[in-house]
Amino acid sequence: MPKPLRLGVAGVGTVGVGVLTMLRAHAERLATRCGRDVQVTAVSARDREKRRGVDLSPFEWFDDPRDLARSRDIDVFIELIGGAGDPAYSAVEAALDAGKHVVTANKALLAHHGVALAELAEARDVALKFEAAVAGGIPVVKVLRESLLGNEVARVYGILNGTSNYILTRMQHEGRAFDEVLSEAQAAGYAEADPTFDIGGQDAAHKLAILTSLAFGTQISYDSIYLEGIEQIDDVDIRSADRLGYRIKLLGVAMKTESGIEQRVHPTMVPKHTAIAEVDGVTNAITIEGDFVGDIMLVGPGAGAGPTASAVVSDITDIARGVDGAPFIVPASKLALYERAQMRAHEGGYYIRLSVYDRPGAFAAIARRMAEQEISLKSIVQSPEEGDVAQGEEGSGAPVPVVMITHRTTEAAIRRAFDAIEGDRHIDRPPKMIRIEGM
Amino acid sequence: MPKPLRLGVAGVGTVGVGVLTMLRAHAERLATRCGRDVQVTAVSARDREKRRGVDLSPFEWFDDPRDLARSRDIDVFIELIGGAGDPAYSAVEAALDAGKHVVTANKALLAHHGVALAELAEARDVALKFEAAVAGGIPVVKVLRESLLGNEVARVYGILNGTSNYILTRMQHEGRAFDEVLSEAQAAGYAEADPTFDIGGQDAAHKLAILTSLAFGTQISYDSIYLEGIEQIDDVDIRSADRLGYRIKLLGVAMKTESGIEQRVHPTMVPKHTAIAEVDGVTNAITIEGDFVGDIMLVGPGAGAGPTASAVVSDITDIARGVDGAPFIVPASKLALYERAQMRAHEGGYYIRLSVYDRPGAFAAIARRMAEQEISLKSIVQSPEEGDVAQGEEGSGAPVPVVMITHRTTEAAIRRAFDAIEGDRHIDRPPKMIRIEGM
């Protein structure tokens, strides 16, 4: 049997403990399947004394992950520190530079420095693997890198943030307001004390940036992502969507268009009775559209100690079995420049909610403004909560909600129509819009 | 750049044409990503002159696939002939024996001879790959073999036959009878002229046998699969399921139990508003339950030229990139003996439909027979089509339908209760039962 594969684990938080637990629980299974033993030999973390529920005493200890990264006693450096900056960045760089394979769960690091690190890994002929960085336990990196390698991908999209999906799901099931559900999610540990990163879409965007590069063979371009969080989703939108046959999900979408690649993270309406619409709670889901394979959807836990450990261990077993290849499939030097499609050129259907003064001519003026931009309407519902009639007396002048679903149009047309409608002063607050993904 | 990988394709039907088309359309893409050219050099099929829409003249022609398998001018033998017997079997055997890698889409061959062929591949140190044999374009073989390799799997189940799912979906959406929908599906080309293999569950069972081995590290045991097709599903069952909150799907299920491994293919009720319940039409879906990863579901096209070609090409690219390993993860000699769980030991919920003579005491007698077997009922609905009251006059003596959903019980208890109920002669035909998968 070949020599054991020796692992150094940097970062022993929830995920690190998960990885140590899984490697220990399934040591024999892994040896049989990899043809060699897989052993943790050294660890590094901020606090050696912290109670973690795992015994770290069998492992060599390093205070500084960079020293662990350079240790002669490891073959693979497992980076579970997190964050795009140091010490994670310099530790990964040190490990690659020292000729160690690297496995990381760090999406921020890859979204910001993925290509540079891939170049270094390729120059040193070592692996840089990151299955756990995107969608936790869902094996989407391997599926894109290997299973769908022969396909030209047209679009990849999905539910990439469990916290946001949990909040939207509870709003939908319980008919409750965003703030209320968020507070409870925080109390229950499903959302961070500072939830900005999740509900603002940045976490999903980090994952999307990596998926885009894998799907399209382009350089990673996190800063090009159009970003809109779920903070502005009202319960009335969720109920209106439901009546119109949709669910609202925070989606990350990357797709090829004539003007370049669109990368966007925003609340999206998807038709009810599709599998993705039924992906509830903290579960993630990703769909890949390939030219030969068609649509492949992967669904599973996007976070948590066990699922993330499973992904980290799959990278380790690939290394143990001698599986290698460029981190982003195409050698880093051959990744295409990322050409950004302008968001104004985005095409799709739109859900629009206006608060319109109920007076003669208001409605006609709005319809005219839409028509001027050649936006055609699929449905239009006044006072969606109460049926198709206004709540007050006819022409009372009080603002009433009007909800519209458009046929396919462009973001630019929608923006111009909104400007014109706002100028007409028939509405008492800015229009609200949610993009529809036509699935 | 290393030498090109030379492929010999045996069988140029729909899938073979798809593979040739994909390899040609994406030759450059594959070369960049594999680090070498991938070229078809030879083909074999029954009829050289058949019009296929692809030009076979650039390739060396073999009348007999076994001669192609032994050709010195190929590195990989692509078996797209089909069928568990010859010539597919002897051709694959010849290729492996001659030291060629083999890629096959042939589920029947693997379900019957997979382990023997794996032994031969391992002895010759070549790859035997079969992503396309299970669920078409869905990369479930790779996910089980590689992504979830570190997990102990408790259960794998899914919608493995597109034709059956298409028929059940149309019955559900249109409220129509099985025979009617089947005839239309045949006319439209969604079902074969002889549909037995699909609707009887054998096709799903072939795939399940392979999944079971990958998931549990056991020898393939096709003959141990409990098999029940969808021929007996009435539209009344579909409507009753709907009212009770379920959909009916033909599932293949393999799971560990205390008495061994259960392998079964049968119509199954799954709760509405789960992602698998929304998998409609010819789409396939597979869920894998791992001890660390939790539940991973993969959804996609289970058949067709493009999806199947995508899977075949992914196997080819693995070989081109030098990825190898035992066909069933664990070396064939170390695959555990398959221990079959008895179907009577199966535990789960049951949907039961009885046609009960509407007379005093009938209902009480049935309830008593269930209670004797310690089967507790979750819900019971008389005349499910008409609400909770009998259609005729009370006690008219005419048979009325009664539908029950049980809590968790055993198959043995259900069978004993049925025997007792039939003996009591309060029903006018044998009881009908559909198992519920508790998801």
Side-chain angles (χ1 to χ4, degrees), chain B residues 83-86 88-90 92-93 96 106-120 128 206 210 220 222 328:
Chain B
D86 283 331
Y89 180 77
S90 53
V92 166
E93 201 175 32
L96 294 172
N106 189 335
K107 47 195 164 280
L109 179 68
L110 291 161
H112 291 285
H113 308 294
V115 176
L117 293 171
E119 269 173 20
L120 181 56
L128 168 62
H206 280 152
I210 299 168
I220 296 173
Y222 173 76
F328 293 94

Side-chain angles (χ1 to χ4, degrees), chain A residues 26 29 142 146 151 291, chain B residues 26 29 142 146 151 291:
Chain A
H26 289 323
R29 175 184 185 87
K142 183 177 276 282
E146 303 176 15
N151 284 267
D291 60 346
Chain B
H26 289 324
R29 176 185 185 87
K142 184 177 275 280
E146 304 177 15
N151 284 267
D291 61 346

Side-chain angles (χ1 to χ4, degrees), chain A residues 235-297:
Chain A
D235 40 337
V236 57
D237 295 316
I238 292 195
R239 288 195 298 274
S240 302
D242 185 49
R243 288 204 180 82
L244 292 161
Y246 295 91
R247 298 270 178 255
I248 299 177
K249 299 288 181 188
L250 181 69
L251 290 196
V253 184
M255 62 189 283
K256 267 193 189 148
T257 74
E258 282 174 24
S259 65
I261 292 174
E262 266 184 31
Q263 286 187 106
R264 46 197 170 83
V265 173
H266 53 70
T268 310
M269 303 216 324
V270 296
K272 273 200 254 186
H273 304 302
T274 54
I276 201 166
E278 300 288 1
V279 172
D280 280 350
V282 296
T283 304
N284 285 17
I286 298 161
T287 296
I288 303 155
E289 298 177 1
D291 60 346
F292 278 81
V293 77
D295 291 8
I296 295 287
M297 182 168 81

Side-chain angles (χ1 to χ4, degrees), chain B residues 2-58:
Chain B
K3 283 195 288 188
L5 188 74
R6 300 164 306 163
L7 315 175
V9 177
V12 194
T14 314
V15 174
V17 170
V19 170
L20 294 175
T21 306
M22 186 169 179
L23 290 171
R24 197 182 46 203
H26 289 324
E28 197 186 316
R29 176 185 185 87
L30 294 168
T32 311
R33 285 162 173 77
C34 296
R36 65 198 286 196
D37 282 335
V38 174
Q39 297 172 348
V40 177
T41 52
V43 297
S44 171
R46 260 185 301 202
D47 179 0
R48 189 171 189 173
E49 303 309 323
K50 189 177 164 190
R51 293 181 70 124
R52 298 177 166 90
V54 289
D55 178 13
L56 300 182
S57 66

